[in-house]
Amino acid sequence: MKNWETWKVNLIVLWFGQFLVNAGMTMITPFLTLYLAKDLGVQGNALGLWAGLIFAANFMTSFLFQPLWGKLADKYGRKIMLLRSSFGMAIVIVLMGFAQTPMQLLLLRLLNGTISGFNPASIALVSGNTPKARMGFAMGLMQSGSVAGTILGPLIGGAMADWIGYRPIFYIVGALLFAASLLALFLVKEKFDRAEAAQVPQVSVLAGFKELAKVPQLPALFGVTFLLQFAMIAPMTLLPLYVEKLNGTAVDIAFWAGVVSAVTGISNMLASPLLGKMSDKVGAHRILTYALIGAALFIIPQAFVTTTWQLIIVRFLMGVFMGGLLPSVNALIRSYTPDGKESRAFGFNSSMLALGNMLGAVIGGFLSGYIGIEGLFLISGGFLLVNTVWVRLKLYKGAAPRLFR
């Protein structure tokens, strides 16, 4: 009973942490250009350039450093890594509110991505303390916290910007992250034998990746994470123009574009715990397969819709299936990864997530000039279908995962 209570407390506290971290990262999005223009004095053509650089900076350094933090988490423990990340981000985000130049804000965003790592550390900790029979449910719930923060962050940030201004938002987010860090410090318990971990031979990050890549299932699972984020982010900046095209001269384009963007996250958030719980009964590998096929089949029709309501319905259904992807991926990564290397595997997976965000925005913007947003929907759906075949072939190659033995 004690162990059951421990894993449940960990799950609740770290769900709250996931929510705050992801909300904090996305709160800046609605008012970033306004903050640059009104508080930091950026004007003209430079405004778009600085906004793009500052937005992408966090993802770039996160992609580079996540595997390193994963390696250190396997050596020193997951709790210490998530505390390092959460306390560090709390300080850095507060400092963003004191920035006086766009270069200072850019450097702070780069630093924020560098010290990030709360999400993979918390997932590794939860997966290491959760009973195997409840793994899918736990991973689904953690995913819902992450998605809820990502959805509500821009809404909260936009509302607060109109109410209290831009700089105070950074102070509030930093204070909330600090509070979440304190909760994790005092309430989260971890079973980690540092002496035993110290006996494991230490290898470089690159050598660690090569070692994990020898498990044929893991690269395929990392590929799911990358392609999922790529498929979600690639058309994102073009959605308002697509909604305008579908609506014609109708008013409230910004409102409907927001609905179209948010509806996928809402259905994802609602479906993640349910599909995670279902995976505990039927197997995460089956849920992953069905979710990949469903997500692909609901991405492709978005290229052929003729009204905004059709787009909303299709994107809602796509979000339902996407809600089964990351929880299944995380559960399967935990089951296929050799003992003692879980954090490193989750670090690489988080790195792929950041890479998908970064390349999705860059490549999506580039390709859209040639194939339009409709072409991006078709390519993204095609990639996920190919990934489905790859995953199915790899999941049944070699040893069975520990969760299904």
Side-chain angles (χ1 to χ4, degrees), residues 36-350:
L36 287 168
K38 295 185 178 181
D39 286 46
L40 302 186
V42 182
Q43 300 296 328
N45 294 334
L47 185 60
L49 176 62
W50 277 111
L53 287 173
I54 289 169
F55 181 77
N58 194 81
F59 296 125
M60 182 179 71
T61 49
S62 177
F63 163 69
L64 294 173
F65 283 90
Q66 291 291 350
L68 173 63
W69 298 131
K71 174 186 173 181
L72 295 176
D74 283 333
K75 183 176 181 180
Y76 298 109
R78 288 91 195 195
K79 182 177 177 179
I80 191 68
M81 284 297 110
L82 67 87
L83 291 176
R84 170 203 57 77
S85 175
S86 57
F87 278 119
M89 286 193 295
I91 295 170
V92 171
I93 289 174
V94 168
L95 291 176
M96 289 181 190
F98 290 99
Q100 298 299 315
T101 67
M103 179 57 73
Q104 291 176 359
L105 185 59
L106 175 62
L107 292 174
L108 287 169
R109 288 278 290 181
L110 288 169
L111 178 60
N112 194 69
T114 300
I115 64 176
S116 66
F118 184 92
N119 288 353
S122 60
I123 290 171
L125 195 153
V126 168
S127 70
N129 289 272
T130 300
K132 291 182 179 180
R134 304 299 301 278
M135 188 67 70
F137 168 74
M139 292 297 99
L141 197 63
M142 290 294 284
Q143 169 70 2
S144 74
S146 174
V147 174
T150 302
I151 297 169
L152 296 179
L155 299 177
I156 297 171
M160 291 176 67
D162 292 334
W163 181 36
I164 61 175
Y166 308 130
R167 292 187 185 274
I169 294 176
F170 294 104
Y171 312 145
I172 292 171
V173 172
L176 289 173
L177 280 177
F178 190 80
S181 304
L182 290 177
L183 285 175
L185 175 63
F186 293 113
L187 297 180
V188 170
K189 306 296 181 185
E190 179 186 20
K191 293 180 180 178
F192 187 81
D193 190 334
R194 189 171 295 183
E196 181 181 333
Q199 301 301 316
V200 178
Q202 296 299 309
V203 297
S204 67
V205 171
L206 181 58
F209 179 77
K210 290 180 178 178
E211 192 174 338
L212 289 174
K214 292 178 182 177
V215 181
Q217 296 85 359
L218 292 180
L221 293 170
F222 296 157
V224 173
T225 299
F226 169 78
L227 288 174
L228 170 62
Q229 292 306 116
F230 184 93
M232 290 182 67
I233 296 298
M236 192 65 70
T237 57
L238 299 170
L239 279 177
L241 296 177
Y242 195 45
V243 170
E244 185 177 37
K245 176 182 176 182
L246 295 174
N247 271 11
T249 57
V251 295
D252 296 330
I253 296 298
F255 169 76
W256 287 109
V259 172
V260 167
S261 300
V263 70
T264 302
I266 292 171
S267 59
N268 187 316
M269 178 181 66
L270 295 174
S272 291
L274 298 176
L275 292 175
K277 190 173 183 179
M278 188 182 299
S279 75
D280 290 329
K281 297 180 179 179
V282 303
H285 56 312
R286 291 191 178 92
I287 295 297
L288 178 60
T289 301
Y290 300 145
L292 272 171
I293 295 171
L297 293 181
F298 281 107
I299 287 178
I300 293 171
Q302 293 177 55
F304 305 105
V305 296
T306 56
T307 69
T308 302
W309 274 110
Q310 289 176 0
L311 183 62
I312 290 171
I313 293 170
V314 174
R315 286 184 65 81
F316 180 89
L317 294 172
M318 178 187 75
V320 170
F321 285 98
M322 284 186 167
L325 289 178
L326 285 183
S328 300
V329 166
N330 287 329
L332 288 166
I333 287 174
R334 174 67 182 89
S335 65
Y336 281 110
T337 302
D339 289 332
K341 299 175 183 176
E342 295 88 354
S343 293
R344 187 173 304 189
F346 285 121
F348 282 119
N349 194 54
S350 186

